[in-house]
Amino acid sequence: MGENELFPTSVVGSLPRPEWLIDGIEQHERGELTDSQLISYYDDAVRLAIKEQELTGLDEISDGEQRRFSFLAFVAERISSFRMISATELMTPEARKFVDDMNLPIGIISNPVIVGKINRTAPLVADEITFAKRYTDKKVKAPIIGPFTLLINSWNKVKSGPFYPTPEAAFNDLTRMLREEIMALREAGASFVQLDEPAIGNFVDYRYTRWLMALNQWRATDMEELRKISVELINKTIKGLRGIKVGVHICRGNWPADEAHLSHGGYENMIDEILEMNADQLVLEYATKRAGNFDVFKEHPWEGEVGLGIIDVKNPRIETAQEIVSRVRKASKAFEFDKITLNPDCGFASGRPWPVVSRHVAYAKLRSQTDAAQMLRKMYN
Ligand SMILES: [Zn+2]
């Protein structure tokens, strides 16, 4: 990866959006900015995100996901088979119980719901990569939503039932759409496609899983069956694809700021599924204490690459390079050091409404990551 063979540095995806972009989006919503004016705001924000990432010394960058409302919602922004529907509109008595138990900020939750036969009517993100590649010589990675996280959020019995009577009935069309996108990303010159799968991370305690199933009126499914479905969907999506690296990002969710809402627990809770995934890279959280320790990968080695999360994206305190180095040295007892890429735990702003740290903090954290990589290369070369 790049000229740095050992400990290459990357990101998971999103960067906090500039204030002026948020203002522009709000002006557009009020009809004070035209579509083409807003697009020029987005273009500027992406060029800035690229430049900032280059200045931090990253080997591989993203477009900062500046154009996406969130890592999940963008599907409905691009593909007409999906429509954003608020949780309030989908609410069921069963789901209502979870809202109270989990203290969910229900007013801001909405999901891209399947409202027609799934067809890739437009690029999901391939045009984002084409644009970014015009402004950088760095490798550009493309985070996209993973098939399981998309399905559990998008198949709703009432809204999707007329087109797909069961979630299973949507497997083929949904994975075909993502496969077509991955091939388009390969054409656009992406270095790496990352399937975002926080819904697999939620297997640590199933709280969020059960809430989504209640909201979308899935039939009572055995959790073991659901785990099998998650692996089946990922392997079906990437089967036989050549010429592009594909990874799976498993985290425990990244919003809202209050970590009490988020899942806690280590990768031992989903290790069987992880080992069955035919991915080139696992993109893992390891900076947050919610993610557990490395023991499980010492007992059950993962042979592929690891995108090792060593930056906490929710804590504004900037990690020192020395701290990062010691985290990586601990990890190297579980993963082969020459297969480790350094990255933050997750995106810095997975959704526009909930950036967690400021832009300058994200920048400083990525600088520390680069410094740590340089120290590690001296140690391990
Ligand atoms: Zn994440």
Side-chain angles (χ1 to χ4, degrees):
M1 206 188 267
E3 57 274 26
N4 296 314
E5 305 252 308
L6 274 185
F7 302 107
T9 55
S10 188
V11 285
V12 171
S14 55
L15 293 174
R17 288 117 183 118
E19 291 287 331
W20 51 260
L21 175 61
I22 308 269
D23 287 348
I25 292 166
E26 286 168 4
Q27 285 165 8
H28 179 258
E29 282 166 358
R30 293 195 299 267
E32 296 162 16
L33 215 60
T34 65
D35 290 354
S36 67
Q37 282 171 320
L38 181 64
I39 288 169
S40 80
Y41 277 45
Y42 279 134
D43 291 351
D44 285 347
V46 170
R47 283 189 284 255
L48 183 61
I50 288 170
K51 180 51 78 182
E52 285 189 345
Q53 289 174 90
E54 288 181 348
L55 289 171
T56 65
L58 281 163
D59 296 302
E60 180 182 58
I61 66 172
S62 72
D63 86 332
E65 300 185 19
Q66 302 293 290
R67 301 174 201 272
R68 306 184 193 180
F69 178 84
S70 82
F71 78 104
L72 175 64
F74 73 94
V75 177
E77 292 159 5
R78 315 283 161 84
I79 307 285
S80 56
S81 329
F82 298 81
R83 182 157 53 85
M84 289 308 285
I85 301 182
S86 70
T88 316
E89 184 180 338
L90 302 172
M91 193 57 65
T92 63
E94 178 67 13
R96 173 68 58 194
K97 293 178 205 155
F98 289 90
V99 176
D100 301 331
D101 284 357
M102 295 167 67
N103 192 23
L104 291 167
I106 196 69
I108 62 163
I109 300 179
S110 56
N111 284 331
V113 174
I114 299 169
V115 291
K117 278 280 176 192
I118 301 169
N119 265 309
R120 187 173 169 275
T121 48
L124 254 182
V125 299
D127 48 347
E128 292 179 355
I129 300 300
T130 304
F131 180 88
K133 291 287 285 182
R134 258 184 250 151
Y135 298 97
T136 187
D137 295 327
K138 296 271 186 186
K139 293 186 170 196
V140 181
K141 84 184 274 183
I144 62 174
I145 190 71
F148 178 65
T149 298
L150 179 56
L151 186 74
I152 198 167
N153 280 282
S154 70
W155 186 89
N156 177 276
K157 189 178 173 192
V158 177
K159 308 283 183 188
S160 319
F163 310 98
Y164 301 99
T166 61
E168 287 81 359
F171 282 11
N172 274 337
D173 289 353
L174 187 128
T175 53
R176 190 195 319 117
M177 176 187 78
L178 294 175
R179 283 178 70 80
E180 287 174 8
E181 183 63 26
I182 294 171
M183 289 186 267
L185 285 164
R186 185 179 58 197
E187 288 302 304
S191 55
F192 178 36
V193 176
Q194 172 187 289
L195 301 173
D196 289 331
E197 287 287 7
I200 295 179
N202 289 330
F203 288 160
V204 292
D205 57 15
Y206 300 120
R207 280 199 312 166
Y208 211 82
T209 313
R210 291 187 199 280
W211 140 253
L212 283 174
M213 290 173 79
L215 183 72
N216 285 327
Q217 302 185 49
W218 285 40
R219 70 183 163 76
T221 305
D222 179 55
M223 289 297 146
E224 284 305 312
E225 195 186 328
L226 208 62
R227 286 167 172 268
K228 288 200 184 84
I229 287 173
S230 70
V231 180
E232 184 188 337
L233 284 170
I234 285 178
N235 287 343
K236 203 169 157 64
T237 299
I238 62 186
K239 189 178 178 196
L241 289 175
R242 297 271 177 277
I244 180 118
K245 198 191 285 185
V246 182
V248 180
H249 171 48
I250 305 172
C251 71
R252 289 146 197 78
N254 189 16
W255 73 278
D258 178 1
E259 299 211 32
H261 294 308
L262 297 166
S263 306
H264 294 244
Y267 289 102
E268 60 276 14
N269 292 294
M270 62 214 65
I271 189 65
D272 293 342
E273 288 72 35
I274 285 174
L275 296 178
E276 280 175 34
M277 287 174 193
N278 299 321
D280 299 301
Q281 186 180 111
L282 290 178
V283 183
L284 303 175
E285 285 182 295
Y286 263 116
T288 173
K289 288 189 175 62
R290 291 183 289 112
N293 61 36
F294 295 109
D295 290 350
V296 60
F297 286 106
K298 290 180 197 162
E299 288 161 32
H300 306 275
W302 164 258
E303 308 288 343
E305 294 182 14
V306 175
L308 185 70
I310 37 73
I311 299 283
D312 189 335
V313 294
K314 294 180 77 69
N315 186 341
R317 193 184 63 82
I318 292 151
E319 291 86 350
T320 65
Q322 283 80 3
E323 261 175 89
I324 296 170
V325 166
S326 78
R327 281 178 189 169
V328 175
R329 298 194 72 173
K330 263 186 217 158
S332 68
K333 299 197 168 61
F335 305 111
E336 289 175 46
F337 71 87
D338 57 356
K339 291 194 174 160
I340 295 176
T341 293
L342 305 193
N343 50 243
D345 268 359
C346 198
F348 281 104
S350 305
R352 171 155 51 84
W354 52 88
V356 192
V357 294
S358 67
R359 282 176 62 213
H360 73 269
V361 168
Y363 181 86
K365 282 174 176 265
L366 291 172
R367 285 294 306 237
S368 273
Q369 177 177 276
T370 305
D371 293 344
Q374 281 163 354
M375 290 166 69
L376 285 159
R377 283 171 205 140
K378 283 193 192 117
M379 278 177 208
Y380 284 84
N381 257 326

